[in-house]
mmCIF file of all heavy atoms in Angstrom:
data_model
loop_
_atom_site.group_PDB
_atom_site.id
_atom_site.type_symbol
_atom_site.label_atom_id
_atom_site.label_comp_id
_atom_site.label_asym_id
_atom_site.label_seq_id
_atom_site.Cartn_x
_atom_site.Cartn_y
_atom_site.Cartn_z
ATOM 1 N N LEU B 24 -7.163 -18.862 -9.736
ATOM 2 C CA LEU B 24 -6.895 -19.969 -10.650
ATOM 3 C C LEU B 24 -5.492 -19.864 -11.239
ATOM 4 O O LEU B 24 -4.796 -20.866 -11.413
ATOM 5 C CB LEU B 24 -7.927 -19.968 -11.786
ATOM 6 C CG LEU B 24 -9.286 -20.550 -11.446
ATOM 7 C CD1 LEU B 24 -10.252 -20.363 -12.594
ATOM 8 C CD2 LEU B 24 -9.140 -22.034 -11.114
ATOM 9 N N TYR B 25 -5.080 -18.632 -11.522
ATOM 10 C CA TYR B 25 -3.783 -18.448 -12.154
ATOM 11 C C TYR B 25 -2.660 -18.892 -11.214
ATOM 12 O O TYR B 25 -1.739 -19.592 -11.623
ATOM 13 C CB TYR B 25 -3.599 -16.984 -12.551
ATOM 14 C CG TYR B 25 -2.357 -16.723 -13.354
ATOM 15 C CD1 TYR B 25 -2.370 -16.861 -14.745
ATOM 16 C CD2 TYR B 25 -1.173 -16.345 -12.751
ATOM 17 C CE1 TYR B 25 -1.236 -16.634 -15.493
ATOM 18 C CE2 TYR B 25 -0.031 -16.113 -13.492
ATOM 19 C CZ TYR B 25 -0.061 -16.257 -14.867
ATOM 20 O OH TYR B 25 1.060 -16.028 -15.607
ATOM 21 N N PHE B 26 -2.746 -18.471 -9.966
ATOM 22 C CA PHE B 26 -1.617 -18.706 -9.060
ATOM 23 C C PHE B 26 -1.705 -20.014 -8.298
ATOM 24 O O PHE B 26 -0.695 -20.524 -7.838
ATOM 25 C CB PHE B 26 -1.484 -17.560 -8.064
ATOM 26 C CG PHE B 26 -0.895 -16.324 -8.684
ATOM 27 C CD1 PHE B 26 -1.674 -15.212 -8.910
ATOM 28 C CD2 PHE B 26 0.424 -16.303 -9.068
ATOM 29 C CE1 PHE B 26 -1.137 -14.086 -9.499
ATOM 30 C CE2 PHE B 26 0.977 -15.182 -9.659
ATOM 31 C CZ PHE B 26 0.183 -14.070 -9.872
ATOM 32 N N HIS B 27 -2.904 -20.516 -8.136
ATOM 33 C CA HIS B 27 -3.003 -21.731 -7.333
ATOM 34 C C HIS B 27 -3.545 -22.899 -8.118
ATOM 35 O O HIS B 27 -4.426 -23.622 -7.668
ATOM 36 C CB HIS B 27 -3.795 -21.443 -6.058
ATOM 37 C CG HIS B 27 -3.147 -20.393 -5.207
ATOM 38 N ND1 HIS B 27 -3.600 -19.105 -5.161
ATOM 39 C CD2 HIS B 27 -2.045 -20.424 -4.427
ATOM 40 C CE1 HIS B 27 -2.815 -18.394 -4.352
ATOM 41 N NE2 HIS B 27 -1.857 -19.176 -3.904
ATOM 42 N N GLY B 28 -2.969 -22.984 -9.304
ATOM 43 C CA GLY B 28 -3.119 -24.172 -10.124
ATOM 44 C C GLY B 28 -4.556 -24.557 -10.422
ATOM 45 O O GLY B 28 -5.455 -23.768 -10.182
ATOM 46 N N PRO B 29 -4.735 -25.756 -10.933
ATOM 47 C CA PRO B 29 -6.098 -26.183 -11.217
ATOM 48 C C PRO B 29 -6.881 -26.279 -9.918
ATOM 49 O O PRO B 29 -6.380 -26.818 -8.926
ATOM 50 C CB PRO B 29 -5.909 -27.571 -11.849
ATOM 51 C CG PRO B 29 -4.485 -27.619 -12.283
ATOM 52 C CD PRO B 29 -3.743 -26.761 -11.316
ATOM 53 N N LEU B 30 -8.071 -25.731 -9.920
ATOM 54 C CA LEU B 30 -8.925 -25.755 -8.735
ATOM 55 C C LEU B 30 -10.342 -26.123 -9.156
ATOM 56 O O LEU B 30 -10.757 -25.827 -10.277
ATOM 57 C CB LEU B 30 -8.951 -24.370 -8.073
ATOM 58 C CG LEU B 30 -7.667 -23.865 -7.424
ATOM 59 C CD1 LEU B 30 -7.859 -22.430 -6.964
ATOM 60 C CD2 LEU B 30 -7.298 -24.746 -6.244
ATOM 61 N N SER B 31 -11.034 -26.730 -8.267
ATOM 62 C CA SER B 31 -12.436 -27.020 -8.542
ATOM 63 C C SER B 31 -13.279 -25.822 -8.130
ATOM 64 O O SER B 31 -12.798 -24.905 -7.457
ATOM 65 C CB SER B 31 -12.877 -28.239 -7.741
ATOM 66 O OG SER B 31 -12.898 -27.913 -6.367
ATOM 67 N N ARG B 32 -14.505 -25.825 -8.519
ATOM 68 C CA ARG B 32 -15.399 -24.733 -8.102
ATOM 69 C C ARG B 32 -15.514 -24.701 -6.586
ATOM 70 O O ARG B 32 -15.609 -23.635 -5.979
ATOM 71 C CB ARG B 32 -16.772 -24.933 -8.742
ATOM 72 C CG ARG B 32 -16.777 -24.676 -10.243
ATOM 73 C CD ARG B 32 -18.162 -24.958 -10.807
ATOM 74 N NE ARG B 32 -18.249 -24.716 -12.238
ATOM 75 C CZ ARG B 32 -17.798 -25.547 -13.170
ATOM 76 N NH1 ARG B 32 -17.185 -26.652 -12.806
ATOM 77 N NH2 ARG B 32 -17.935 -25.268 -14.449
ATOM 78 N N GLN B 33 -15.508 -25.892 -5.973
ATOM 79 C CA GLN B 33 -15.600 -25.935 -4.510
ATOM 80 C C GLN B 33 -14.419 -25.214 -3.867
ATOM 81 O O GLN B 33 -14.577 -24.458 -2.905
ATOM 82 C CB GLN B 33 -15.638 -27.390 -4.036
ATOM 83 C CG GLN B 33 -16.825 -28.179 -4.545
ATOM 84 C CD GLN B 33 -18.143 -27.599 -4.085
ATOM 85 O OE1 GLN B 33 -18.282 -27.228 -2.929
ATOM 86 N NE2 GLN B 33 -19.101 -27.506 -4.992
ATOM 87 N N ASP B 34 -13.231 -25.468 -4.425
ATOM 88 C CA ASP B 34 -12.039 -24.793 -3.898
ATOM 89 C C ASP B 34 -12.200 -23.282 -4.016
ATOM 90 O O ASP B 34 -11.823 -22.519 -3.122
ATOM 91 C CB ASP B 34 -10.792 -25.228 -4.679
ATOM 92 C CG ASP B 34 -10.543 -26.725 -4.557
ATOM 93 O OD1 ASP B 34 -10.900 -27.296 -3.513
ATOM 94 O OD2 ASP B 34 -10.002 -27.311 -5.515
ATOM 95 N N LEU B 35 -12.762 -22.864 -5.141
ATOM 96 C CA LEU B 35 -12.910 -21.438 -5.364
ATOM 97 C C LEU B 35 -13.895 -20.823 -4.371
ATOM 98 O O LEU B 35 -13.706 -19.699 -3.916
ATOM 99 C CB LEU B 35 -13.384 -21.175 -6.806
ATOM 100 C CG LEU B 35 -12.321 -21.442 -7.864
ATOM 101 C CD1 LEU B 35 -12.923 -21.348 -9.260
ATOM 102 C CD2 LEU B 35 -11.168 -20.461 -7.724
ATOM 103 N N ILE B 36 -14.933 -21.565 -4.057
ATOM 104 C CA ILE B 36 -15.885 -21.078 -3.058
ATOM 105 C C ILE B 36 -15.144 -20.821 -1.752
ATOM 106 O O ILE B 36 -15.258 -19.765 -1.142
ATOM 107 C CB ILE B 36 -17.007 -22.121 -2.849
ATOM 108 C CG1 ILE B 36 -17.866 -22.219 -4.112
ATOM 109 C CG2 ILE B 36 -17.857 -21.753 -1.646
ATOM 110 C CD1 ILE B 36 -18.815 -23.394 -4.112
ATOM 111 N N GLN B 37 -14.349 -21.802 -1.344
ATOM 112 C CA GLN B 37 -13.537 -21.664 -0.135
ATOM 113 C C GLN B 37 -12.622 -20.451 -0.204
ATOM 114 O O GLN B 37 -12.568 -19.639 0.703
ATOM 115 C CB GLN B 37 -12.663 -22.917 0.041
ATOM 116 C CG GLN B 37 -13.398 -24.134 0.547
ATOM 117 C CD GLN B 37 -13.504 -24.112 2.067
ATOM 118 O OE1 GLN B 37 -12.602 -23.598 2.722
ATOM 119 N NE2 GLN B 37 -14.600 -24.624 2.599
ATOM 120 N N ALA B 38 -11.901 -20.375 -1.308
ATOM 121 C CA ALA B 38 -10.822 -19.387 -1.404
ATOM 122 C C ALA B 38 -11.346 -17.965 -1.508
ATOM 123 O O ALA B 38 -10.718 -17.032 -1.005
ATOM 124 C CB ALA B 38 -9.930 -19.704 -2.599
ATOM 125 N N THR B 39 -12.454 -17.787 -2.178
ATOM 126 C CA THR B 39 -12.906 -16.419 -2.427
ATOM 127 C C THR B 39 -14.016 -15.981 -1.501
ATOM 128 O O THR B 39 -14.300 -14.788 -1.399
ATOM 129 C CB THR B 39 -13.415 -16.267 -3.863
ATOM 130 O OG1 THR B 39 -14.568 -17.104 -4.028
ATOM 131 C CG2 THR B 39 -12.356 -16.669 -4.860
ATOM 132 N N GLY B 40 -14.664 -16.926 -0.842
ATOM 133 C CA GLY B 40 -15.747 -16.539 0.034
ATOM 134 C C GLY B 40 -17.041 -16.224 -0.694
ATOM 135 O O GLY B 40 -17.992 -15.761 -0.086
ATOM 136 N N LEU B 41 -17.057 -16.455 -1.988
ATOM 137 C CA LEU B 41 -18.290 -16.205 -2.745
ATOM 138 C C LEU B 41 -19.233 -17.403 -2.594
ATOM 139 O O LEU B 41 -18.824 -18.487 -2.200
ATOM 140 C CB LEU B 41 -17.960 -16.002 -4.223
ATOM 141 C CG LEU B 41 -17.213 -14.711 -4.537
ATOM 142 C CD1 LEU B 41 -16.727 -14.708 -5.978
ATOM 143 C CD2 LEU B 41 -18.110 -13.508 -4.299
ATOM 144 N N SER B 42 -20.478 -17.185 -2.930
ATOM 145 C CA SER B 42 -21.441 -18.280 -2.856
ATOM 146 C C SER B 42 -21.241 -19.212 -4.042
ATOM 147 O O SER B 42 -20.651 -18.842 -5.053
ATOM 148 C CB SER B 42 -22.859 -17.732 -2.883
ATOM 149 O OG SER B 42 -23.129 -17.198 -4.162
ATOM 150 N N SER B 43 -21.749 -20.404 -3.908
ATOM 151 C CA SER B 43 -21.569 -21.372 -4.984
ATOM 152 C C SER B 43 -22.263 -20.880 -6.252
ATOM 153 O O SER B 43 -21.765 -21.089 -7.361
ATOM 154 C CB SER B 43 -22.137 -22.722 -4.573
ATOM 155 O OG SER B 43 -23.543 -22.656 -4.455
ATOM 156 N N ALA B 44 -23.384 -20.227 -6.081
ATOM 157 C CA ALA B 44 -24.101 -19.722 -7.253
ATOM 158 C C ALA B 44 -23.237 -18.735 -8.027
ATOM 159 O O ALA B 44 -23.114 -18.815 -9.255
ATOM 160 C CB ALA B 44 -25.389 -19.055 -6.814
ATOM 161 N N SER B 45 -22.619 -17.818 -7.296
ATOM 162 C CA SER B 45 -21.804 -16.801 -7.967
ATOM 163 C C SER B 45 -20.580 -17.419 -8.632
ATOM 164 O O SER B 45 -20.215 -17.046 -9.740
ATOM 165 C CB SER B 45 -21.367 -15.732 -6.972
ATOM 166 O OG SER B 45 -22.486 -15.026 -6.509
ATOM 167 N N VAL B 46 -19.990 -18.366 -7.929
ATOM 168 C CA VAL B 46 -18.820 -19.008 -8.522
ATOM 169 C C VAL B 46 -19.206 -19.672 -9.837
ATOM 170 O O VAL B 46 -18.540 -19.502 -10.858
ATOM 171 C CB VAL B 46 -18.195 -20.019 -7.544
ATOM 172 C CG1 VAL B 46 -17.157 -20.875 -8.249
ATOM 173 C CG2 VAL B 46 -17.565 -19.289 -6.380
ATOM 174 N N SER B 47 -20.280 -20.418 -9.820
ATOM 175 C CA SER B 47 -20.749 -21.047 -11.053
ATOM 176 C C SER B 47 -20.916 -20.024 -12.152
ATOM 177 O O SER B 47 -20.481 -20.203 -13.288
ATOM 178 C CB SER B 47 -22.095 -21.721 -10.806
ATOM 179 O OG SER B 47 -21.929 -23.078 -10.543
ATOM 180 N N ASN B 48 -21.567 -18.954 -11.776
ATOM 181 C CA ASN B 48 -21.865 -17.881 -12.700
ATOM 182 C C ASN B 48 -20.617 -17.283 -13.330
ATOM 183 O O ASN B 48 -20.495 -17.177 -14.543
ATOM 184 C CB ASN B 48 -22.590 -16.791 -11.908
ATOM 185 C CG ASN B 48 -23.784 -16.304 -12.678
ATOM 186 O OD1 ASN B 48 -23.745 -16.301 -13.896
ATOM 187 N ND2 ASN B 48 -24.812 -15.913 -11.978
ATOM 188 N N VAL B 49 -19.709 -16.897 -12.462
ATOM 189 C CA VAL B 49 -18.502 -16.229 -12.942
ATOM 190 C C VAL B 49 -17.635 -17.207 -13.736
ATOM 191 O O VAL B 49 -17.076 -16.854 -14.773
ATOM 192 C CB VAL B 49 -17.705 -15.636 -11.762
ATOM 193 C CG1 VAL B 49 -16.393 -15.059 -12.237
ATOM 194 C CG2 VAL B 49 -18.535 -14.580 -11.072
ATOM 195 N N VAL B 50 -17.559 -18.440 -13.256
ATOM 196 C CA VAL B 50 -16.775 -19.436 -13.981
ATOM 197 C C VAL B 50 -17.352 -19.619 -15.381
ATOM 198 O O VAL B 50 -16.607 -19.742 -16.365
ATOM 199 C CB VAL B 50 -16.743 -20.775 -13.207
ATOM 200 C CG1 VAL B 50 -16.262 -21.898 -14.110
ATOM 201 C CG2 VAL B 50 -15.842 -20.646 -11.995
ATOM 202 N N ALA B 51 -18.669 -19.624 -15.484
ATOM 203 C CA ALA B 51 -19.291 -19.750 -16.799
ATOM 204 C C ALA B 51 -18.833 -18.609 -17.708
ATOM 205 O O ALA B 51 -18.516 -18.817 -18.888
ATOM 206 C CB ALA B 51 -20.810 -19.748 -16.664
ATOM 207 N N ASP B 52 -18.787 -17.417 -17.145
ATOM 208 C CA ASP B 52 -18.256 -16.255 -17.884
ATOM 209 C C ASP B 52 -16.865 -16.532 -18.422
ATOM 210 O O ASP B 52 -16.576 -16.329 -19.602
ATOM 211 C CB ASP B 52 -18.154 -15.043 -16.944
ATOM 212 C CG ASP B 52 -19.356 -14.129 -17.072
ATOM 213 O OD1 ASP B 52 -20.406 -14.614 -17.532
ATOM 214 O OD2 ASP B 52 -19.224 -12.953 -16.718
ATOM 215 N N LEU B 53 -16.000 -16.976 -17.494
ATOM 216 C CA LEU B 53 -14.599 -17.177 -17.857
ATOM 217 C C LEU B 53 -14.455 -18.290 -18.883
ATOM 218 O O LEU B 53 -13.610 -18.218 -19.777
ATOM 219 C CB LEU B 53 -13.772 -17.484 -16.600
ATOM 220 C CG LEU B 53 -13.640 -16.326 -15.605
ATOM 221 C CD1 LEU B 53 -13.003 -16.798 -14.304
ATOM 222 C CD2 LEU B 53 -12.801 -15.205 -16.206
ATOM 223 N N LEU B 54 -15.280 -19.327 -18.748
ATOM 224 C CA LEU B 54 -15.245 -20.403 -19.735
ATOM 225 C C LEU B 54 -15.673 -19.869 -21.100
ATOM 226 O O LEU B 54 -15.042 -20.155 -22.122
ATOM 227 C CB LEU B 54 -16.167 -21.547 -19.295
ATOM 228 C CG LEU B 54 -15.661 -22.428 -18.146
ATOM 229 C CD1 LEU B 54 -16.767 -23.338 -17.632
ATOM 230 C CD2 LEU B 54 -14.466 -23.260 -18.597
ATOM 231 N N ASP B 55 -16.752 -19.081 -21.094
ATOM 232 C CA ASP B 55 -17.222 -18.492 -22.347
ATOM 233 C C ASP B 55 -16.132 -17.660 -23.008
ATOM 234 O O ASP B 55 -15.931 -17.716 -24.222
ATOM 235 C CB ASP B 55 -18.436 -17.595 -22.088
ATOM 236 C CG ASP B 55 -19.733 -18.392 -22.071
ATOM 237 O OD1 ASP B 55 -19.658 -19.610 -22.313
ATOM 238 O OD2 ASP B 55 -20.789 -17.808 -21.798
ATOM 239 N N ALA B 56 -15.444 -16.884 -22.172
ATOM 240 C CA ALA B 56 -14.416 -15.990 -22.706
ATOM 241 C C ALA B 56 -13.197 -16.762 -23.187
ATOM 242 O O ALA B 56 -12.320 -16.194 -23.840
ATOM 243 C CB ALA B 56 -14.009 -14.971 -21.652
ATOM 244 N N GLY B 57 -13.118 -18.037 -22.827
ATOM 245 C CA GLY B 57 -11.996 -18.842 -23.273
ATOM 246 C C GLY B 57 -10.755 -18.691 -22.417
ATOM 247 O O GLY B 57 -9.711 -19.246 -22.724
ATOM 248 N N LEU B 58 -10.864 -17.933 -21.346
ATOM 249 C CA LEU B 58 -9.700 -17.729 -20.482
ATOM 250 C C LEU B 58 -9.439 -18.948 -19.616
ATOM 251 O O LEU B 58 -8.312 -19.199 -19.205
ATOM 252 C CB LEU B 58 -9.928 -16.515 -19.571
ATOM 253 C CG LEU B 58 -9.529 -15.174 -20.142
ATOM 254 C CD1 LEU B 58 -10.024 -14.050 -19.256
ATOM 255 C CD2 LEU B 58 -8.016 -15.103 -20.254
ATOM 256 N N VAL B 59 -10.490 -19.657 -19.318
ATOM 257 C CA VAL B 59 -10.389 -20.782 -18.402
ATOM 258 C C VAL B 59 -10.923 -22.019 -19.118
ATOM 259 O O VAL B 59 -11.847 -21.908 -19.928
ATOM 260 C CB VAL B 59 -11.199 -20.491 -17.124
ATOM 261 C CG1 VAL B 59 -11.431 -21.746 -16.306
ATOM 262 C CG2 VAL B 59 -10.491 -19.436 -16.300
ATOM 263 N N VAL B 60 -10.305 -23.157 -18.846
ATOM 264 C CA VAL B 60 -10.800 -24.409 -19.430
ATOM 265 C C VAL B 60 -10.887 -25.466 -18.333
ATOM 266 O O VAL B 60 -10.270 -25.327 -17.279
ATOM 267 C CB VAL B 60 -9.858 -24.919 -20.547
ATOM 268 C CG1 VAL B 60 -9.909 -24.000 -21.752
ATOM 269 C CG2 VAL B 60 -8.438 -25.064 -20.022
ATOM 270 N N GLU B 61 -11.657 -26.500 -18.627
ATOM 271 C CA GLU B 61 -11.747 -27.599 -17.669
ATOM 272 C C GLU B 61 -10.472 -28.429 -17.760
ATOM 273 O O GLU B 61 -9.837 -28.505 -18.811
ATOM 274 C CB GLU B 61 -12.970 -28.457 -17.968
ATOM 275 C CG GLU B 61 -14.263 -27.672 -17.824
ATOM 276 C CD GLU B 61 -15.480 -28.571 -17.825
ATOM 277 O OE1 GLU B 61 -15.326 -29.748 -18.185
ATOM 278 O OE2 GLU B 61 -16.559 -28.081 -17.461
ATOM 279 N N ALA B 62 -10.100 -29.023 -16.652
ATOM 280 C CA ALA B 62 -8.840 -29.767 -16.608
ATOM 281 C C ALA B 62 -9.038 -31.039 -15.818
ATOM 282 O O ALA B 62 -8.474 -31.222 -14.749
ATOM 283 C CB ALA B 62 -7.743 -28.899 -15.981
#
Side-chain angles (χ1 to χ4, degrees):
Chain B
L24 281 174
Y25 187 87
F26 285 109
H27 299 103
L30 292 174
S31 68
R32 289 177 179 78
Q33 298 299 317
D34 299 330
L35 289 172
I36 292 169
Q37 284 276 328
T39 64
L41 291 170
S42 69
S43 67
S45 294
V46 169
S47 263
N48 225 328
V49 175
V50 165
D52 263 22
L53 293 171
L54 286 169
D55 275 357
L58 273 170
V59 165
V60 291
E61 298 192 347

